[in-house]
Structures are given as C-alpha cells and as structure tokens.
Amino acid sequence: MKIQYKAASIMTLFGVVIVILLSGGYDVLSHKLVIEKEMKNIKNLSEEVALHVESHLKEKTKIAMTISSAPLIKDALLKSNSEFAEFAGEKRKQEIDSRNRQWMKTADISDPFIQAHMANPVAEYLKSQQIILPGEYGEIFLTNRFGVMIATTGKLTTLAHSHKYWWLASYGDGQGRIFLDDRGFDTSVGGYVLGVVIPIRDGNEIIGILKCNVNIIGSLTDVVQEFALRHSGRMKIVRTGGLILSEHSIAPLSTQVNDHIVKALWKKETGTTIIAGNNEDQLVAFSPVQITMGSEKFGFGGSKESIDHIKGNKGEGWHIVISLSEEKAIGTAHEATLTIIIVGIIFTLLTAIVASLLGKWAARPIVELATTAQTIGEGRLDTRANLISNDEIGSLAKSLNRMAKNLQDTMTSRDELIHEVEQRKKVEEKLHLLSTTDELTGAYNRRAFNDYLHTNIGRAKRYNEPLSMLLLDVDHFKNINDSHGHDVGDLVLKSLVCVIKESIRQEDTMARWGGEEFTILLPQTGKDAALQQAERLREKIFMHNFPKIDHLTVSIGHTELQDNDTSDSFVKRADDALFQAKEGGKNIVISC
C-alpha cells in the first residue's frame, strides 16, 4: 500500500475515533449541564409563580377587609352583641340553639325570621358587593362575637357558627387572625371556592367575623394559562396531599400528582426532583405558596367535606409544581451532538481524500499550506501563502489566499454592520422614548396612555375584572404661572409627577393628559378601593411642600369601567367627574 493511502487510512481512522470521543464526551457533559440548568430554571419559575399566586390571595384578602371596614357592619355587630350579652351563659346558649333550630327547619326564605337576616341593611350592603364583582362571590355573611349570623346574602344551612373550624380559627380565643378556608367545590357558586374569613375588631376586642366565599378558580386558571404560553413544561397548583387544584385542560380536584412528589411536598420547602417514568423521566420543581403555610397573620386550612362543599382541605397548603420531560430538556443538546458527529466525519473523510491525492506530489508545499491555513484558522487573517507554481499546489495557494482575504473583508464588514445595527437600535430606543413620554415631566404622554387604556379595557372585559380611572387637575395653576413664572410652574409639575408615582402601585399607569391635567389607570380596582386611593393621593399632594409655592391642591374625578363602555365614553365620564369636582369647590374627589 502506497504511503499516501496509508496516511489517508490512518488519518481517517484517527479522525473517526476523535470525533466519536469528542461527541460522546460533549453529549455526556452537555446532558448534565442542560439538566442542571433546566432544574434551576423551573425551580426559579416555581418560586416566581408561588409569589404570583400569593399576591392573588392577598388581593382577595384586602378586598374582604375593605368590605368588613364599613361603619354599618360595626354598628350592627355592637347592637347584636349587646342583645346577646344580656343573656346569662347557659340561657344565651339555649337562645342561640333555639334560633338555630328555627332557622334550619324554616325552608321558606320569605319567612319574616329568615328575611330579618337576609334583607337588613348589612345584608343589602353585602349583596351590593356581589353585584360590584359579579361571579366573584358565593355567600357573604356576618356573625357576631357569639357566632350567630346577623346578615347573609343567601340562605345558609345554619344560623350558629361558633363551633365551626373556620370560625374558631379566625376568632383564635380572642386573638384573631385572617383565615383562608380552602373549601373545595362549593355548591353555592358551582365552582372551586376559597373562604376568606376576617375578624372584625372594636379596639382590641373582636366583635364579629365576616366570611366571603370567593370563587378562586378563575384567578388560578389565569396563572396556569399564562405559564403555558411562555414555557413548554406543565404547571400545576397542588395541595400538600397531592390533589391538583388547577392544571391546564384538567378539571379541578380530579387528579393527583405522583406519590414521590407528595412526599417532597410535605416538607413544605422549595426543591427539585427527577421522577422516573415508563417512557421518559420528568424533571420536577416545587415551591410552597407561603401564605397557605400559615402564620401569625394568616391561617389556612379547611374541612374534608361539609353539607355544601366537597373535597375540602384539611391540614394542607398549596404548592406550585412544574414538570418538564427530560426529552424536551435535552433535545437541543442531542441535535448539536449529532451535528458534530456528521460534520466531523465528513471533514475527516475529506481530509483523508485530500491527503491521499496530494501527498505524493508535494509534501513540503502542503505542509506550508497547512501551516498557513492553521494560522488563518487561529484568527490571523492577514497571513498569506508564498507559493508560486502553475500546478494544483499553486492554485491551492492562490485559493487559500483569496479565502483569507475574503474572510478578512467579511469580518471587517461584519464588525461595521454590527456597529451600525447597535447605533440604529440606540436611535430607535430614543425615538420610542420620545414618542411615549412627556418631555417636561417624564410621565407617559397621551398617546402612550391611550395604548395602555385600550389594552386594559380589553383585559378587564375579557376577565370580568374592575378597572378604574382617575383624572387629576391642579387647582389655580394659572395663578402659579402668573405669580411665579412658567419656570416655577414647570418645577411644580415635575414635583407633582414624582409625588403621584410614589403613591400609586407598580401596575397602575399615570400619564400627563394635557397642561396641568394627569390621568391614572387603576387595573383590577373597583370604585371603593379607587376612591380610597384617590383620597389618599389628594391628601398627600396637599401635604407636600412644592418648590417656591409650598402647598397646592388638586381636584380628582373618578369613574369605573362599565360593560358598554368604549375608551371615549370611559374617559368622558372621568372628565365629567373632574368637572364636577372643580365646580364643587376644588380640592375634592368626585365619582361618576
């Protein structure tokens, strides 16, 4: 066998072995790295989603606390407590038992005794909350400090509640804390219900308990669907015992997670594991929703079942569980390994053929060419082959030189192109900023606000969520300009924007509507909460020391999105409310 063929054979065999070893090592290493990366990624996602779910639960709690803070509730509780306090201990128990039996045996809700609890001012107020947030609540009812219900939105099973787990948990021997009652499927709303139980205080004394049965599955479904849009894994909201509360395309409370996962969930910690399957392994990450773990401020739990709900929770918290098949996680790594093998083998075979054809002609020129090629490959693109001949070696040398020059030119053009692209991006970002923000105050301008307004109106109507708007105008601003000059007026507007931004939530949107008018969009905020926020903002602005003028006042108009609203009608109603506030004496909040 000629030497050139021997060299080609050895080179081919050596190249194949090297490619196999490198690709195999790369596959093993990349597999491990990909698994570690994906485990860390889904763990971080589970923690992020757990915080998101916790924020939903806290929002439900805040709404219930707002409902419980109404003065007529406190007045009704004090009156009812005074009535029952006149009975001695055993006589009070007999009286409560007697009324409870009467309530349970009376099926006709038009009965005067039933109507006394369902048609009083407090009951009407609770019903109005159901109307404000349609579909949000099942029953809402109020008990006094003896556990006797004094107002309800519907005919409950019993009148007396002081013996029930949720009442005792919220009352806490007089210490009191918010209790989240994980009720499961509740017939009162035909869906998954979370009871939000609020202790009501008069000073340091608990005078009553308010319970709002909230249809929670809508919020949980939104969280699951949002995750499905941005990640290829599957996310579940799971009780500690393994029962799945919410999963994409799966009915709530109908399935369980793997027993191996359940054991991990009982530790009530964030972690990861790999579950072996018949067809493929699953990477799993889990994180507890901390508010459901219980604390001094919040209690959480339930009962396995009662008369009007099934599959309740007893002694379990909620967890976010994210699973991802190992095949999906490492699919890209396997494709890269296969590409390396194919390219490596092709390159090895081509190299062997070239060595076989050219080895007998000019070993020395080939070595020189190889050296030149290697130098170019190391990045020294100005290197050239100094070979002059009219045969294939000469042509190869010329080709190598042309390739190096073209590559050098290409790299130079690429660097220039990258620089140009980067400069263009900076200009585009600056133009975008100028097109969406007010030049003086840095707040969003009217154009940008209209974009946010259309988006939030669509979301509010799609998910049946409340949406409020505030329109704010500086009182007597012309006097400021006339007395102190426009420079001071500009400073006042800049300072006002800072005060507003510090006072609103991160999800709220504020924009300069024109002149001294500003608008604030409040997603997921009903009338009562919006008016409270507007009043706080008005007071904070009044107390703020502005440059050169010390204090100023603002008038605020509020409106809440209606079902038939367009963006124009929504804005006009806010503008009408602002006009009424200005006409009504200024420095006030008016709602339309």
Side-chain angles (χ1 to χ4, degrees):
M1 181 181 291
K2 294 182 179 181
I3 188 169
Q4 64 266 28
Y5 299 126
K6 289 183 180 180
S9 300
I10 293 172
M11 185 175 293
T12 301
L13 179 60
F14 179 79
V16 170
V17 171
I18 292 298
V19 169
I20 291 175
L21 291 176
L22 288 177
S23 60
Y26 173 83
D27 189 58
V28 172
L29 179 61
S30 64
H31 181 278
K32 181 180 179 182
L33 293 175
V34 167
I35 294 300
E36 290 177 352
K37 178 182 177 181
E38 286 298 332
M39 290 289 268
K40 183 178 180 180
N41 182 41
I42 61 175
K43 178 182 176 182
N44 291 338
L45 285 173
S46 70
E47 292 177 326
E48 175 187 335
V49 176
L51 289 173
H52 190 43
V53 172
E54 182 168 3
S55 71
H56 272 292
L57 298 182
K58 287 183 177 178
E59 186 65 25
K60 303 298 183 186
T61 300
K62 289 179 182 177
I63 295 173
M65 291 178 67
T66 301
I67 295 173
S68 72
S69 64
L72 81 165
I73 287 182
K74 181 178 178 180
D75 294 341
L77 286 173
L78 291 174
K79 180 179 179 181
S80 177
N81 289 338
S82 176
E83 175 190 347
F84 280 87
E86 292 179 1
F87 295 103
E90 186 60 28
K91 189 173 181 181
R92 184 190 307 121
K93 183 178 182 301
Q94 293 173 358
E95 179 66 19
I96 293 173
D97 289 342
S98 173
R99 296 190 187 189
N100 190 50
R101 286 193 298 272
Q102 182 180 357
W103 175 275
M104 294 176 67
K105 73 179 183 180
T106 305
D108 183 8
I109 63 172
S110 63
D111 182 89
F113 177 72
I114 303 299
Q115 283 296 301
H117 297 79
M118 293 182 62
N120 58 49
V122 175
E124 295 301 325
Y125 167 72
L126 298 180
K127 291 175 183 177
S128 72
Q129 303 306 308
Q130 292 177 316
I131 295 172
I132 292 172
L133 298 173
E136 178 78 359
Y137 296 108
E139 289 97 359
I140 308 176
F141 58 96
L142 178 68
T143 74
N144 64 21
R145 73 183 183 90
F146 302 104
V148 179
M149 182 178 66
I150 66 173
T152 178
T153 59
K155 175 65 165 67
L156 302 179
T157 307
T158 62
L159 185 72
H161 298 273
S162 63
H163 62 288
K164 296 183 178 180
Y165 66 88
W166 54 265
W167 197 97
L168 294 169
S170 183
Y171 186 77
D173 294 329
Q175 299 301 312
R177 64 173 177 171
I178 298 169
F179 183 76
L180 300 178
D181 179 17
D182 187 7
R183 296 171 59 82
F185 187 85
D186 193 304
T187 56
S188 70
V189 296
Y192 193 99
V193 163
L194 184 72
V196 181
V197 189
I198 307 293
I200 302 173
R201 301 178 185 272
D202 182 23
N204 293 324
E205 180 183 5
I206 296 177
I207 60 173
I209 301 291
L210 176 73
K211 187 173 188 186
C212 304
N213 289 334
V214 180
N215 190 344
I216 195 68
I217 197 61
S219 297
L220 301 184
T221 300
D222 286 347
V223 173
V224 172
Q225 290 178 344
E226 289 173 5
F227 178 87
L229 293 175
R230 64 188 181 109
H231 197 273
S232 58
R234 289 189 70 85
M235 192 203 82
K236 310 172 185 66
I237 302 176
V238 184
R239 286 184 182 157
T240 306
L243 196 61
I244 298 174
L245 307 180
S246 184
E247 182 180 7
H248 187 59
S249 302
I250 303 295
L253 305 175
S254 63
T255 53
Q256 292 264 143
V257 297
N258 183 284
D259 289 340
H260 182 71
I261 298 177
V262 174
K263 292 180 181 179
L265 296 183
W266 277 110
K267 297 179 181 178
K268 299 184 177 180
E269 298 173 350
T270 299
T272 59
T273 187
I274 297 179
I275 305 298
N278 295 329
N279 299 322
E280 59 180 359
D281 293 346
Q282 294 285 325
L283 313 183
V284 180
F286 42 87
S287 186
V289 179
Q290 288 299 333
I291 193 174
T292 69
M293 300 296 110
S295 64
E296 291 183 1
K297 185 176 180 181
F298 292 93
F300 189 87
S303 175
K304 286 295 183 183
E305 59 184 84
S306 70
I307 294 175
D308 57 354
H309 70 275
I310 58 175
K311 292 188 178 180
N313 172 355
K314 189 172 184 179
E316 303 173 47
W318 288 3
H319 306 258
I320 304 302
V321 178
I322 297 176
S323 60
L324 178 67
S325 69
E326 188 176 31
E327 181 180 351
K328 287 184 178 179
I330 65 176
T332 302
H334 281 323
E335 291 176 4
T337 301
L338 182 60
T339 301
I340 290 172
I341 292 174
I342 294 173
V343 171
I345 291 175
I346 293 174
F347 181 80
T348 300
L349 292 175
L350 290 175
T351 303
I353 292 172
V354 171
S356 175
L357 293 174
L358 301 180
K360 64 180 179 179
W361 294 102
R364 187 161 48 85
I366 290 175
V367 170
E368 186 175 345
L369 286 174
T371 303
T372 303
Q374 182 178 359
T375 304
I376 294 172
E378 292 172 353
R380 294 165 57 184
L381 302 180
D382 57 345
T383 304
R384 300 291 184 269
N386 297 318
L387 292 175
I388 301 175
S389 64
N390 295 322
D391 57 9
E392 292 82 0
I393 298 298
S395 298
L396 184 59
K398 293 178 182 178
S399 298
L400 181 61
N401 289 338
R402 283 197 300 271
M403 180 193 72
K405 184 179 184 304
N406 290 337
L407 183 59
Q408 187 177 21
D409 294 340
T410 300
M411 293 299 292
T412 301
S413 299
R414 189 200 67 166
D415 293 340
E416 292 174 352
L417 179 60
I418 290 174
H419 177 74
E420 182 180 347
V421 169
E422 290 176 349
Q423 293 301 314
R424 182 169 296 178
K425 284 183 178 179
K426 292 179 180 178
V427 171
E428 289 175 351
E429 290 173 356
K430 186 175 182 179
L431 289 174
H432 177 72
L433 181 63
L434 291 173
S435 69
T436 59
T437 58
D438 175 55
E439 184 177 0
L440 173 64
T441 63
Y444 285 122
N445 60 22
R446 194 164 185 163
R447 173 185 174 186
F449 181 80
N450 283 332
D451 291 340
Y452 283 106
L453 179 62
H454 286 296
T455 300
N456 279 276
I457 287 177
R459 177 179 176 82
K461 290 186 176 182
R462 183 165 63 255
Y463 295 106
N464 199 21
E465 295 176 343
L467 177 66
S468 288
M469 181 191 301
L470 304 179
L471 199 56
L472 177 152
D473 183 77
V474 179
D475 297 329
H476 308 296
F477 185 74
K478 183 177 183 301
N479 293 341
I480 296 174
N481 282 335
D482 292 343
S483 301
H484 301 278
H486 288 278
D487 289 342
V488 172
D490 290 347
L491 288 175
V492 169
L493 291 180
K494 291 179 182 179
S495 181
L496 176 62
V497 167
C498 292
V499 174
I500 296 174
K501 285 183 176 179
E502 291 173 357
S503 304
I504 62 177
R505 304 170 301 176
Q506 185 176 0
E507 58 267 32
D508 299 336
T509 302
M510 186 269 289
R512 186 179 183 187
W513 193 244
E516 63 273 20
E517 285 189 356
F518 297 87
T519 185
I520 304 170
L521 196 62
L522 308 173
Q524 299 179 333
T525 305
K527 177 180 178 180
D528 292 343
L531 288 176
Q532 291 178 9
Q533 184 168 345
E535 189 61 30
R536 287 194 298 268
L537 178 59
R538 184 195 64 78
E539 292 177 358
K540 186 171 183 179
I541 292 171
F542 178 73
M543 298 301 294
H544 185 76
N545 288 326
F546 288 88
K548 306 293 185 179
I549 66 167
D550 291 333
H551 298 287
L552 59 77
T553 63
V554 296
S555 300
I556 301 176
H558 162 269
T559 190
E560 184 177 0
L561 184 70
Q562 306 299 320
D563 290 340
N564 60 348
D565 265 344
T566 64
S567 59
D568 290 336
S569 63
F570 190 27
V571 171
K572 184 179 184 307
R573 200 162 55 254
D575 189 61
D576 291 342
L578 175 60
F579 179 80
Q580 293 178 30
K582 300 293 283 189
E583 291 295 311
K586 302 182 177 58
N587 193 25
I588 56 174
V589 179
I590 295 294
S591 177
C592 279

